Amino acid sequence: MLAVVQRSVEEGLAPFRRISTAFFWLSAAGLALLVAGSLIIARSITRPVQRLAEAAARVQQGDYARHVDVGQRDEIGQLAVSFNHMLDGIVSREREILRLAYEDVLTGLPNRAMFNQQLEQAVRTARRAAQPLAVLVIDMDRFKAINDTLGHPVGDRALREVGARMRGALRDSDVVARLGGDEFGVLLATGGSQHAPRVVADKIFRALDAPLVVEGQTMDIAASIGIACFPEHGEDAASLLSAADVAMYIAKRGKTGCEVYDPAHHERRQEYLTLLGELRHAVEAGELVLHYQPKIGLAEDRVTSVEALVRWRHPQRGFVPPSEFIGFAEQTGYIGAITQWVLAHAIEQCGRWHHLGLHLCMGVNISARDLRQEDALVQFIFAALAEAQLPAGMLCLEITESALMDDPRSAQSTLRKLREMGVATSIDDYGTGYSSLGYIKQLAVNELKIDRTFVSGMEADHRNAAIVRSTIELGHNLGLAVVAEGVETEHELAQLRRFGCDVAQGYLFARPMDAAALESWLAGAREKTSWKTADALDEARGAR
Ligand code: C2E
Ligand code: MG
Ligand code: MG
């Protein structure tokens, strides 16, 4: 049987066509969706990433100010927030670095770098507008002593207070900076007034007038100020600052408090530098010599000791007295080398005499600065005495009263150490330093040396005689031997004997002289007078 199904192909295929069309549209829609979706995703990722990349490029060029905003809160949004935090961090760190670079951490004032920048800027403006300005350099006096004796933390607090006082005393428009150490700088527009810098210097002095109290310690502070004005003393920042520095140095040296720069200052400073070079050379090349001046024990009428006094045999200038270089050496810090030289040679000479039977105590002058090097000084003396095989009691260190008052703490501690070692000590130029009786009592000294101005003034002014007499009594009450220096006349000597003075020294007996001359003088004196010097003197002279 055969059945014929008569349907058209079209008809037969129609359902498939529908499916296929539907499938086509579905695919097209899917594709469109896919494209749209990818586009959306691409936009939400690539664009913010691009923004971040641009921001990173800006940072690379040093622009930290603009934050990135990606406008979304997803992971990329998170990334942008972190990126912005990082920017903030960089900005605040950079600000801190700048602050550290331009601010003095201790005082919070601008530092030297900032001061220089502002000075340069001010000079540029002053030049354009023909406006005068002034620079002040302020250096604390004896600040090192505060640091050394009271310790650095106290020193730091003192500097902070000094900075605050100066800042408080001046106008907001004046720049106050710490230039380093104990040196401060002030920059001010003078407005054409010639007196303005002096007025400001006075304000600073007044601000520092009241004593500082740090951790219960009261200390007097003082400063030296140098002033330089634009355009008279320097036409650029560097030369102005250097002129103010030179003026400050002159003020400090002359203890005048404040100086305005003067071109002659530079020449003087140059001279000082030459002198310092020559002084160094003097010690190394053996140009220093010691002269010895006898000290006479009045009770036994005998030379008991000598004082070593240094002289400089300058190849061109001849004999230079200590008054012309000791003060200078003290200021420049070179005194330490001179003191060591003097101590070594005086101890050696004393040892040589001692071993020949000529037992003369040796007086050596030391400076305030030497006392601050206490351990170094004590050790040096210890070694020199051991080398010369000399009993410590044969050495007597003379320290001026003003040196003791300069730095009472280290003086006291050094004197105690010397005393423990057996070295004798003497207060030189007594009567000129205003030390109190209480202070003298505490000091471990053996001798008071009355300043020669009182001794030589005894004849003319009975008040001087009264001072000498009461000083002798005071010394004896404190258990100290009393020496009168600068005895020039028989009348003075007679008075001193009457007052009970123990030892006398002066031109009346002998001027300072070198070792050989002293030996001859001692021999002559023994023949002429009843002074009993050891017979070993001849031996000493023979040994030369
Ligand atoms: P000084 O320690 O008070 O020494 C006494 C000074 O008075 C010496 O001066 C001495 O020559 C002088 N003189 C002594 N008798 C008389 C007198 O009868 N009349 C007068 N008008 N003067 C007299 P010189 O040698 O010029 O020393 C001056 C100062 O220099 C010394 O005063 C001392 O402070 C210091 N000096 C000397 N040598 C040294 C040293 O080696 N080291 C230190 N640090 N200072 C020294
Ligand atoms: Mg002396
Ligand atoms: Mg003296």
Side-chain angles (χ1 to χ4, degrees), residues 293 307 310-311 322 365 367 428-429 452 485-486 488 507 512:
Q293 187 179 34
E307 175 177 6
V310 71
R311 271 98 184 88
N365 294 285
S367 297
D428 205 348
D429 302 347
R452 65 168 176 271
E485 63 175 17
E488 292 184 358
Y507 293 168

Side-chain angles (χ1 to χ4, degrees), residues 290-296 303 305-309 311 361-363 398 449 452 485-487 504-514 518 521:
L290 285 183
H291 280 186
Y292 304 91
Q293 187 179 34
K295 288 161 95 171
I296 288 93
V303 179
S305 45
V306 293
E307 175 177 6
L309 294 156
R311 271 98 184 88
C361 291
M362 178 65 74
E398 298 190 5
K449 253 183 122 168
R452 65 168 176 271
E485 63 175 17
V487 183
Q505 173 185 3
Y507 293 168
L508 174 66
F509 308 103
R511 289 184 177 252
M513 52 201 142
D514 66 27
L518 180 84
W521 179 86

Side-chain angles (χ1 to χ4, degrees), residues 14-344:
F16 293 105
R17 289 240 166 82
R18 271 198 307 275
I19 290 172
S20 145
T21 309
F23 193 72
F24 169 78
W25 284 116
L26 263 176
S27 309
L31 196 65
L33 266 176
L34 190 71
V35 168
S38 326
L39 272 178
I40 290 171
I41 290 174
R43 280 196 168 201
S44 68
I45 295 180
T46 46
R47 194 161 309 146
V49 168
Q50 204 177 344
R51 286 215 189 118
L52 283 171
E54 283 163 12
R58 282 199 304 277
V59 168
Q60 207 177 11
Q61 270 148 33
D63 172 10
Y64 310 115
R66 261 190 294 163
H67 277 183
V68 242
D69 183 11
V70 291
Q72 43 193 72
R73 293 170 166 244
D74 54 7
E75 287 86 347
I76 304 251
Q78 285 290 317
L79 187 62
V81 170
S82 308
F83 189 85
N84 287 339
H85 279 325
M86 188 183 79
L87 281 188
D88 292 342
I90 293 177
V91 168
S92 78
R93 259 198 305 280
E94 188 156 275
R95 217 174 277 145
E96 181 65 10
I97 288 169
L98 271 182
R99 195 180 65 77
L100 288 177
Y102 287 114
E103 186 184 292
D104 170 52
V105 187
L106 185 68
T107 57
L109 295 172
N111 62 9
R112 184 181 274 275
M114 183 66 167
F115 187 75
N116 279 338
Q117 263 193 18
Q118 292 190 309
L119 181 58
E120 275 166 19
Q121 176 63 39
V123 167
R124 273 198 296 272
T125 318
R127 216 179 274 146
R128 247 184 289 125
Q131 260 178 4
L133 59 90
V135 176
L136 280 74
V137 168
I138 301 117
D139 193 276
M140 297 297 116
D141 295 340
R142 298 187 309 270
F143 186 77
K144 196 180 168 309
I146 294 184
N147 251 350
D148 290 353
T149 52
L150 304 177
H152 284 263
V154 175
D156 284 355
R157 295 205 26 205
L159 283 177
R160 225 172 296 164
E161 169 78 16
V162 166
R165 285 197 194 178
M166 277 201 276
R167 181 63 278 179
L170 304 186
R171 289 189 195 153
D172 285 348
S173 54
D174 301 333
V175 179
V176 180
R178 176 163 171 243
L179 303 182
D182 57 352
E183 194 173 88
F184 293 83
V186 168
L187 167 62
L188 48 129
T190 57
S193 154
Q194 282 201 321
H195 306 296
R198 284 269 185 192
V199 171
V200 168
D202 279 342
K203 276 193 195 169
I204 294 173
F205 284 134
R206 272 201 304 278
L208 302 181
D209 249 359
L212 278 185
V213 184
V214 176
E215 287 172 15
Q217 302 269 5
T218 306
M219 50 198 132
D220 283 323
I221 41 167
S224 301
I225 302 183
I227 299 175
C229 302
F230 173 87
E232 308 93 284
H233 304 141
E235 300 215 329
D236 55 53
S239 49
L240 267 178
L241 201 55
S242 133
D245 231 7
V246 169
M248 184 279 292
Y249 172 79
I250 300 292
K252 186 158 286 226
R253 239 201 97 250
K255 297 196 169 85
T256 53
C258 176
E259 286 289 332
V260 178
Y261 177 76
D262 178 334
H265 287 161
H266 253 307
E267 285 156 30
R268 264 160 74 194
R269 188 170 203 194
Q270 214 45 52
E271 263 175 41
Y272 290 138
L273 290 180
T274 315
L275 184 61
L276 182 60
E278 285 183 346
L279 202 49
R280 277 214 178 98
H281 175 79
V283 176
E284 283 153 21
E287 286 172 13
L288 296 184
V289 274
L290 285 183
H291 280 186
Y292 304 91
Q293 187 179 34
K295 288 161 95 171
I296 288 93
L298 295 182
E300 60 273 60
D301 257 340
R302 187 173 72 85
V303 179
T304 51
S305 45
V306 293
E307 175 177 6
L309 294 156
V310 71
R311 271 98 184 88
W312 180 2
R313 218 167 20 194
H314 194 281
Q316 280 90 42
R317 287 191 248 165
F319 265 96
V320 183
S323 56
E324 284 181 29
F325 65 91
I326 290 291
F328 173 78
E330 283 171 347
Q331 275 162 25
T332 50
Y334 196 60
I335 190 70
I338 295 182
T339 302
Q340 287 202 346
W341 186 92
V342 171
L343 275 168

